[in-house]
Amino acid sequence: SEESRHFDNGVTLRRAAPIVDRRLEVYFPHRYQSYPHYAVSRGVGVIASPFSDYFGVFPPFIERSHVIIAPCPHVFVDVWVGGGGRGSYYLGRRGGDDR
């Protein structure tokens, strides 16, 4: 709908806008979209949408000028601890190792 959504936790979704490109009506049958930078065809100023794998559900491209490329602020590294016995990473420390 045209009205934006406000939630109790402070999140506000952007207001929907009427579709200008009629080719997008396949993806948005109500003729409103909340992200106005989708594109339906490949070109110089567009890149693949992160949702392009969902063929037929979302438009396959996004305008390049509205994409922010930034490093991830946090990285999760999974550490293998072995079987939990003497040879595991945490339990198999040597005597002088007090890490």
Side-chain angles (χ1 to χ4, degrees), residues 13-17 28 32-38:
L13 301 179
R14 68 177 61 149
R15 184 177 299 268
F28 306 105
Y32 284 95
Q33 62 183 0
S34 59
Y35 183 74
H37 308 292
Y38 286 118

Side-chain angles (χ1 to χ4, degrees), residues 3-70:
E3 59 193 45
S4 59
R5 304 284 186 217
H6 305 280
F7 296 95
D8 291 338
N9 63 359
V11 172
T12 302
L13 301 179
R14 68 177 61 149
R15 184 177 299 268
I19 292 177
V20 178
D21 187 350
R22 299 205 42 111
R23 296 177 296 171
L24 289 170
E25 289 181 7
V26 173
Y27 304 103
F28 306 105
H30 297 289
R31 296 190 175 114
Y32 284 95
Q33 62 183 0
S34 59
Y35 183 74
H37 308 292
Y38 286 118
V40 292
S41 59
R42 187 175 297 179
V44 175
V46 299
I47 63 168
S49 166
F51 304 111
S52 62
D53 290 337
Y54 301 106
F55 182 76
V57 179
F58 285 97
F61 302 102
I62 295 177
E63 296 172 5
R64 184 182 298 267
S65 61
H66 290 86
V67 174
I68 298 171
I69 299 174

Side-chain angles (χ1 to χ4, degrees), residues 91-98:
L91 299 178
R93 291 184 285 192
R94 299 209 174 21
D97 187 6
D98 60 353

